[in-house]
Amino acid sequence: SQTIHQWPATLVQPVGSPLSLECTVEGTSNPNLYWYRQAAGRGLQLLFYSVGIGQISSEVPQNLSASRPQDRQFILSSKKLLLSDSGFYLCAWSVRTAVSNVLTFGAGSRLTVL
Amino acid sequence: KNEVEQSPQNLTAQEGEFITINCSYSVGISALHWLQQHPGGGIVSLFMLSSGKKKHGRLIATINIQEKHSSLHITASHPRDSAVYICAVRSATGANSKLTFGKGITLSVRP
């Protein structure tokens, strides 16, 4: 069966510090991978998605970047965090077919920037 | 105007009640998703539907494409149903199609 792992679960970082959130998927190959952010009182916002190794699409201009060094690994990074980067970050994957686009989410990473 | 609107924003029910959560959208879609987010933050996909009705246990999801409206029904509600219920729509098919999410509805079921 497929599983998705996301870490760390909770992170408190000072403004200006770097960030690295990691997500890995098991039990599937060639998944579509996504990073979402959920800010307080707002819906989920797609930050990045990837359809393959090294292929990253950015949805919104921001202080963050994403990388996919391996087929089932997706990393969210920042060189210098801003206060506005605080939020709940969710990694997700879906099967790469047009028929089934059901998303499976990781447990999320709660980032607080102080 | 948001593309996906959910109502009511907050909902409190007594255990055993029949609950309806609504979702309206303003764009043409290929599919609509209902998601459940537990207090810890984890999200579970409940349904994906593009027409008609789907049922899983005590949950029923319906969609009316012409009216651009979907409902999620919970029968015989239980306190463990307390969660945020999120509606999301997919506007195109293909690997790079994107989901637009509603803000979610917070449901509290009292024992």
Side-chain angles (χ1 to χ4, degrees):
Chain A
S1 63
Q2 302 91 358
T3 55
I4 179 169
H5 303 281
Q6 185 181 340
W7 70 93
T10 305
L11 200 57
V12 180
Q13 292 285 103
V15 170
S17 64
L19 171 73
S20 181
L21 301 179
E22 190 162 342
C23 173
T24 59
V25 181
E26 296 177 359
T28 188
S29 296
N30 302 316
N32 290 333
L33 295 172
Y34 307 84
W35 277 111
Y36 287 91
R37 176 169 59 201
Q38 186 178 41
R42 301 181 64 181
L44 284 161
Q45 181 186 36
L46 179 62
L47 301 176
F48 301 95
Y49 71 91
S50 171
V51 299
I53 296 173
Q55 301 179 62
I56 308 295
S57 295
S58 174
E59 289 300 297
V60 293
Q62 59 200 307
N63 184 42
L64 302 168
S65 62
S67 62
R68 185 171 178 173
Q70 301 180 45
D71 180 47
R72 289 171 288 180
Q73 183 185 27
F74 206 22
I75 298 171
L76 184 69
S77 304
S78 173
K79 292 182 179 178
K80 290 185 178 182
L81 284 168
L82 305 172
L83 286 174
S84 58
D85 292 324
S86 294
F88 190 58
Y89 291 83
L90 288 148
C91 178
W93 75 274
S94 68
V95 175
R96 197 184 305 170
T97 67
V99 174
S100 173
N101 280 314
V102 174
L103 286 175
T104 301
F105 288 87
S109 299
R110 192 164 302 279
L111 171 65
T112 303
V113 182
L114 301 175
Chain B
K1 182 180 185 299
N2 293 327
E3 291 184 350
V4 181
E5 297 278 355
Q6 291 190 248
S7 63
Q9 189 172 7
N10 293 286
L11 185 59
T12 300
Q14 202 66 33
E15 183 174 358
E17 286 184 356
F18 180 84
I19 296 168
T20 296
I21 298 170
N22 296 303
C23 175
S24 297
Y25 51 93
S26 57
V27 297
I29 67 169
S30 61
L32 182 143
H33 297 249
W34 280 103
L35 309 168
Q36 180 190 54
Q37 185 171 29
H38 290 281
I43 293 179
V44 175
S45 180
L46 298 176
F47 295 103
M48 182 185 72
L49 64 165
S50 55
S51 64
K53 179 170 73 173
K54 286 190 176 181
K55 184 176 188 294
H56 182 70
R58 294 181 294 108
L59 302 178
I60 303 167
T62 63
I63 188 168
N64 185 317
I65 297 296
Q66 287 73 29
E67 295 185 2
K68 293 185 168 58
H69 181 268
S70 175
S71 294
L72 177 68
H73 306 285
I74 305 175
T75 61
S77 60
H78 190 276
R80 64 174 175 265
D81 297 324
S82 298
V84 176
Y85 291 84
I86 301 170
C87 170
V89 299
R90 189 176 296 280
S91 58
T93 57
N96 62 347
S97 60
K98 303 158 195 172
L99 284 173
T100 302
F101 293 82
K103 293 182 180 181
I105 290 170
T106 302
L107 171 66
S108 298
V109 181
R110 294 175 176 168

